[in-house]
Amino acid sequence: MNKHSKKFQFDKIIRKTVQSLRQLYIPLSEYDKLDARFGNILEQRRADEADGVAFQARSIMLVGPSGSGKTTAVRYLKHKYRHALATDPEKEFCEFVDLQVPSPATMKFVGAATLRALGYPYAGNKQGPAIWDQVKVQLKLRRTLFLGFDEAQDLARYQTEKERQSVVNTLKSLMENSVWPVGLLLSGMPDLKKIVNQDAQLARRVDPIEFKRLHAVRDVEHVIKIVQRYADRAQIDVDASVRNEAFAMRLIHAADDQFGLLAEIVVLAVSRALFTEGFEAKLGIRHFAEVYSERNGAEAWMNVFIAEDYGRINPRKLLDDGDGPEDGEDA
């Protein structure tokens, strides 16, 4: 085997490892709450269906800032329940259908998008109410028990008071449908709470779960363990530079205190170590610094993993040069 072929095979093995890293999910307590509530709702619905009883469906609201891990949590939930719940949209029956709320999020466009997610090739000029009547028909035909809306806060963004109430009424009608009630899994930014709290009847039927920000002190030990878990999955060693509380605090800040972003950064850093040094690599803070520089376009003095006073850096900003380095500070 020539040098080129060996490199090709080596890169292929590493890419498989990276795929495995991306599939590793380390749940937080918020996910455990989501799992428990979803499981209880599903079991009750199964029991009601077996006895021919039609009750109003319960729903779940999952809220948190961008990067907190909401979408990944829902994806992992579907994966876990794939044997207990039909989740393949290509099959005749699909008990869990989810979609991202389209823009603009008028009830007509959202209804049309929901029909397409249900496998119904919608094309027409029907008004919103008629479209949602068709949605209810398709939900029953496909035996759908749960309908998920990601970025659900957009359902009421830029809407008038009357339009927001129309959104609330539509959501309630799906849950209250006497023929085929459907539970909702609404995930989105904190503004989603305003939609649900707008109507007391809707709020009473929704179980709320909030993905909170990581804490720079409380969560440091857990973060160190997370880094170790990903390194173990990649079968590489971990340098002392990333096995301490000071590093964990930098990593939490680099992820803007969001668990989903933190996991993404760790995967990228482990991947960087693998591609540059192979399986003999020792994951160190330099790999995180290189990844941060690539993601944010940051110079060394604005790199969270290098700068001494990293707390002043906004990790959400790209190509942020601040006010320039202080006198005597290296650029």
Side-chain angles (χ1 to χ4, degrees):
M1 183 180 295
N2 60 40
K3 183 177 180 180
H4 178 75
S5 297
K6 287 182 179 179
K7 185 179 185 307
F8 176 80
Q9 291 298 327
F10 181 72
D11 286 351
K12 187 175 180 181
I13 293 172
I14 290 181
R15 293 196 184 281
K16 286 289 185 183
T17 303
V18 172
Q19 289 177 1
S20 178
L21 292 173
R22 290 173 176 170
Q23 293 168 358
L24 176 62
Y25 182 65
I26 303 174
L28 293 173
S29 59
E30 288 84 357
Y31 172 79
D32 294 335
K33 294 176 184 177
L34 171 64
D35 184 10
R37 295 185 189 184
F38 184 85
N40 287 337
I41 293 173
L42 175 60
E43 289 175 10
Q44 187 62 56
R45 177 60 187 267
R46 295 285 197 213
D48 293 344
E49 193 174 359
D51 294 337
V53 178
F55 284 109
Q56 295 174 349
R58 287 203 66 79
S59 297
I60 297 173
M61 175 178 66
L62 190 63
V63 297
S66 174
S68 59
K70 305 181 300 295
T71 301
T72 301
V74 173
R75 184 167 62 245
Y76 189 73
L77 186 77
K78 286 181 62 178
H79 177 75
K80 176 179 179 179
Y81 284 88
R82 66 192 184 282
H83 299 303
L85 196 68
T87 60
D88 186 349
E90 300 299 322
K91 301 294 184 180
E92 180 180 1
F93 298 132
C94 188
E95 296 174 305
F96 192 131
V97 173
D98 58 342
L99 68 149
Q100 182 169 327
V101 172
S103 180
T106 64
M107 292 314 297
K108 178 176 180 177
F109 285 161
V110 175
T114 304
L115 281 177
R116 287 192 289 271
L118 287 163
Y120 185 84
Y122 172 79
N125 295 313
K126 293 182 179 179
Q127 296 301 308
I131 295 175
W132 282 100
D133 285 342
Q134 187 64 52
V135 167
K136 294 172 186 176
V137 171
Q138 291 301 315
L139 288 170
K140 185 177 188 302
L141 289 175
R142 301 212 65 188
R143 314 297 290 179
T144 301
L145 304 179
F146 295 95
L147 182 59
F149 290 109
D150 193 14
E151 302 297 341
Q153 77 281 347
D154 286 345
L155 288 169
R157 182 172 291 181
Y158 311 123
Q159 308 276 33
T160 65
E161 183 67 26
K162 181 178 179 181
E163 290 169 333
R164 283 194 295 271
Q165 189 58 51
S166 176
V167 170
V168 169
N169 292 340
T170 299
L171 296 178
K172 287 197 299 184
S173 72
L174 294 173
M175 299 163 61
E176 297 171 351
N177 191 335
S178 60
V179 177
W180 190 259
V182 173
L184 305 175
L185 180 51
L186 305 171
S187 60
M189 303 281 279
D191 281 350
L192 174 58
K193 291 183 283 187
K194 296 178 182 178
I195 302 175
V196 175
N197 287 328
Q198 180 172 322
D199 187 284
Q201 288 183 329
L202 176 61
R204 182 166 53 86
R205 297 173 189 139
V206 174
D207 295 333
I209 300 173
E210 186 167 13
F211 273 53
K212 298 186 180 300
R213 302 177 76 90
L214 294 171
H215 191 277
V217 176
R218 181 190 62 229
D219 295 312
V220 290
E221 290 188 10
H222 184 54
V223 167
I224 293 172
K225 291 177 180 178
I226 288 173
V227 174
Q228 186 66 57
R229 283 279 301 276
Y230 277 103
D232 289 345
R233 172 64 71 93
Q235 298 183 332
I236 63 174
D237 292 332
V238 177
D239 187 74
S241 62
V242 297
R243 285 190 283 108
N244 58 76
E245 293 184 357
F247 165 77
M249 294 173 70
R250 286 179 181 270
L251 178 55
I252 290 172
H253 185 75
D256 195 26
D257 308 332
Q258 303 304 326
F259 176 75
L261 287 177
L262 185 143
E264 183 180 325
I265 292 171
V266 176
V267 169
L268 289 172
V270 175
S271 302
R272 166 58 67 97
L274 286 171
F275 277 111
T276 57
E277 301 165 41
F279 291 97
E280 299 299 319
K282 180 173 285 190
L283 181 64
I285 195 170
R286 68 185 182 282
H287 300 115
F288 287 88
E290 290 169 2
V291 164
Y292 187 87
S293 178
E294 287 186 355
R295 283 171 57 90
N296 294 61
E299 298 291 340
W301 71 281
M302 286 295 287
N303 190 309
V304 169
F305 295 101
I306 297 175
E308 183 175 349
D309 55 341
Y310 66 88
R312 64 185 167 79
I313 300 171
N314 184 344
R316 292 281 189 173
K317 288 188 176 182
L318 304 182
L319 299 172
D320 184 19
D321 57 4
D323 296 322
E326 298 293 337
D327 291 342
E329 184 178 358
D330 292 335

